[in-house]
């Protein structure tokens, strides 16, 4: 799946400045983007707008019939661990952190270029079992 120019810029800024602020910008920019878990299951997410007109810090995962929510704190913990262990190849989501919704955070972090995964896993994260980036 191709990024649009705004998404490309957000990813580039995040990779150049690995901070929570730039991660949040990526999260906002990638709402509705098709992601895949490491087992190849598709999902998207949305953010809701709170009372003050700003996005709430909770991702609403849309996976088929059921919707789940993913707290920003869980995404942030996975992000912090990925940055601390930068360059590590993470074969499974729980190798990053044992937090709620890690399979979704794993997909986001990979798509944003913050973690490395084995070739076979990358293929599933792309939504295909036979092609690799």
């Amino acid at each position: 799946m191709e990024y649009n120019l705004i998404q490309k810029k957000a990813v580039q800024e995040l990779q150049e400045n690995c901070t929570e602020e730039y991660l949040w910008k990526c999260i906002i920019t990638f709402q509705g983007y098709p992601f895949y878990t490491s087992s190849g299951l598709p999902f998207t997410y949305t953010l809701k707008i709170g009372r003050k007109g700003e996005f709430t810090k909770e991702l609403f995962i849309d996976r088929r019939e059921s919707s789940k929510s993913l707290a920003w704190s869980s995404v942030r913990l996975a992000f912090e661990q990925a940055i601390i262990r930068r360059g590590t190849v993470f074969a499974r989501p729980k190798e990053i952190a044992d937090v709620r919704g890690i399979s979704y955070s794993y997909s986001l972090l990979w798509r944003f270029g913050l973690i490395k995964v084995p070739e076979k896993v990358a293929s599933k994260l792309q939504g295909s079992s036979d092609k690799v980036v």
Side-chain angles (χ1 to χ4, degrees):
M1 183 88 196
E2 285 293 313
Y3 301 154
N4 67 36
L5 290 175
I6 295 169
Q7 291 166 330
K8 281 183 183 181
K9 183 179 183 214
V11 168
Q12 182 180 10
E13 288 176 340
L14 175 60
Q15 290 175 354
E16 291 170 0
N17 307 286
C18 287
T19 65
E20 187 178 328
E21 175 188 347
Y22 286 101
L23 176 62
W24 183 243
K25 285 182 180 182
C26 271
I27 295 295
I28 291 170
T29 304
F30 276 81
Q31 288 184 86
Y33 183 90
F35 289 91
Y36 297 88
T37 64
S38 60
S39 57
L41 300 172
F43 73 94
T44 60
Y45 67 85
T46 57
L47 302 169
K48 293 193 177 173
I49 296 181
R51 284 183 251 172
K52 295 181 181 179
E54 296 178 0
F55 288 113
T56 61
K57 296 273 183 154
E58 188 172 16
L59 288 74
F60 291 89
I61 307 294
D62 183 13
R63 248 219 27 78
R64 298 190 183 155
E65 306 86 37
S66 62
S67 240
K68 302 174 183 198
S69 67
L70 177 58
W72 173 244
S73 58
S74 294
V75 176
R76 193 180 66 236
L77 283 169
F79 169 71
E80 290 168 357
Q81 287 302 307
I83 297 308
I84 290 169
R85 298 165 55 204
R86 195 139 202 179
T88 301
V89 176
F90 296 99
R92 298 179 307 111
K94 289 200 176 190
E95 289 179 5
I96 296 175
D98 191 5
V99 295
R100 188 175 173 276
I102 190 63
S103 60
Y104 301 112
S105 296
Y106 182 80
S107 299
L108 300 175
L109 295 173
W110 176 78
R111 179 57 65 192
F112 300 158
L114 299 176
I115 62 169
K116 295 178 182 178
V117 300
E119 205 171 286
K120 187 174 182 179
V121 175
S123 178
K124 289 183 179 182
L125 292 170
Q126 292 180 77
S128 167
S129 58
D130 57 4
K131 68 177 184 178
V132 177
V133 177

